[in-house]
């Protein structure tokens, strides 16, 4: 199990978090998605044998959010 932390400056509410969740659940291997709105960060735990940070970042950006 691996974890990636993404800085997403545009997230500010639960609707943003839900949009990111919806974009990520389609990836095989996603185990958990947590967001900290105070620091505008999303933490994703995933199975590194099924997906990776590049695919995760791509899905978040396709959902309309910039990733730092």
């Amino acid at each position: 199990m691996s974890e990636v932390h993404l800085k997403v400056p545009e997230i500010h509410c639960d609707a943003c978090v839900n949009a990111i969740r919806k974009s990520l659940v389609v990836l095989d291997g996603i185990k958990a998605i947590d967001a900290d709105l105070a620091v505008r960060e999303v933490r994703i735990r995933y199975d590194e044998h099924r997906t990776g940070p590049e695919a995760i970042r791509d899905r978040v950006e396709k959902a309309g959010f910039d990733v730092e």
Side-chain angles (χ1 to χ4, degrees):
M1 192 74 55
S2 294
E3 186 169 294
V4 65
H5 295 234
L6 301 177
K7 290 295 250 178
V8 186
E10 299 163 331
I11 63 169
H12 62 278
C13 65
D14 287 335
C16 296
V17 175
N18 288 335
I20 290 172
R21 283 180 203 265
K22 284 182 181 180
S23 73
L24 290 174
V25 295
V26 300
L27 287 177
D28 188 33
I30 298 296
K31 301 298 181 185
I33 303 162
D34 298 303
D36 185 337
L37 295 176
V39 295
R40 298 176 191 247
E41 182 177 87
V42 180
R43 293 173 306 282
I44 302 104
R45 283 191 308 274
Y46 63 95
D47 180 342
E48 65 275 1
H49 299 290
R50 295 187 172 159
T51 193
E54 299 83 19
I56 292 169
R57 181 185 182 112
D58 184 57
R59 293 298 305 167
V60 172
E61 289 176 340
K62 284 184 178 175
F65 297 92
D66 291 326
V67 177
E68 291 183 349

